[in-house]
Amino acid sequence: MAMSQDFAAISAGTFVAILLVGAIELANTFGLRAALEEKTSLMFASEVKESALAIRTGTELPEEKRLAIDEALATAAQLTKQAQALLTYAVTSWLGIYVFCGTSLVAVLVWSAQKDGKPDHALAIWSILIITLSLILILVAFSARLFLSRKITIEEQRRKAAQELGIPVGEVSALVARWRRHHGFDS
């Protein structure tokens, strides 16, 4: 395996594509973070308001209500923490991808521009490694973003079901599990 003009063109095109996908994926991750902040504040607004009002007035909440609020606020904190972890991972990963793909792209272009362009085994192997690593990081970041989006959707559905059924949010999962067992879905 050695660097050739054809392989240099393919590698350079792949590096550019990865850099473009990276910019789009990073923008989507920042968008998800902003959407999560908005959804979280809407999903948990009543609990935050009720808790703040109780603290402000010095009123003691009933135990059941306090536990429900504590659960909701813990869920909100967990979702926010996971979104921040995803954002940190994405920014760190993309920074690494940009540095390695960018420098590899420059190295490939410099090699390609040389008049004698002797085969360079190390550059060819380096290009393959960087492309492979970048693609793996892209898939992991994309999967993590999808997982978090799905988790947010499930929480929204759980809270909506609780509201429609008139039951505490914490009981929705148990109710669904009992319903699934009763109807033979969890055999």
Side-chain angles (χ1 to χ4, degrees):
M1 175 182 323
M3 185 61 75
S4 66
Q5 289 297 335
D6 290 340
F7 187 70
I10 292 168
S11 297
T14 305
F15 287 135
V16 170
I18 288 171
L19 293 171
L20 289 174
V21 167
I24 293 166
E25 187 62 29
L26 198 54
N28 286 338
T29 302
F30 276 106
L32 175 65
R33 176 72 169 113
L36 173 68
E37 287 176 1
E38 184 178 334
K39 285 183 177 189
T40 302
S41 61
L42 291 174
M43 275 195 292
F44 301 101
S46 64
E47 286 89 350
V48 170
K49 181 180 176 183
E50 211 168 332
S51 179
L53 184 62
I55 291 170
R56 194 170 353 131
T57 61
T59 308
E60 191 67 31
L61 292 171
E63 183 70 14
E64 184 178 305
K65 191 66 172 169
R66 188 184 58 74
L67 291 175
I69 289 173
D70 288 349
E71 178 193 348
L73 296 178
T75 301
Q78 179 188 20
L79 288 172
T80 302
K81 183 178 177 182
Q82 288 173 342
Q84 188 57 46
L86 172 64
L87 186 62
T88 301
Y89 167 79
V91 168
T92 305
S93 295
W94 286 113
L95 182 62
I97 288 172
Y98 286 153
V99 167
F100 285 113
C101 281
T103 56
S104 298
L105 176 61
V106 169
V108 167
L109 292 175
V110 166
W111 178 88
S112 182
Q114 292 176 0
K115 187 174 184 173
D116 58 351
K118 297 176 185 157
D120 189 339
H121 302 289
L123 183 56
I125 291 171
W126 176 256
S127 296
I128 289 172
L129 285 174
I130 294 302
I131 289 168
T132 302
L133 177 63
S134 297
L135 292 176
I136 289 169
L137 288 174
I138 288 169
L139 288 174
V140 170
F142 179 73
S143 298
R145 192 168 50 82
L146 286 181
F147 174 77
L148 186 58
S149 294
R150 179 71 182 134
K151 194 167 186 172
I152 293 165
T153 301
I154 289 170
E155 182 60 27
E156 285 177 314
Q157 291 170 345
R158 192 172 80 109
R159 297 183 68 73
K160 183 178 178 185
Q163 187 178 22
E164 289 174 358
L165 296 171
I167 61 175
V169 176
E171 292 179 21
V172 171
S173 297
L175 180 63
V176 169
R178 284 194 312 266
W179 183 87
R180 291 179 62 83
R181 277 193 307 276
H182 177 74
H183 291 287
F185 287 101
D186 290 336
S187 300

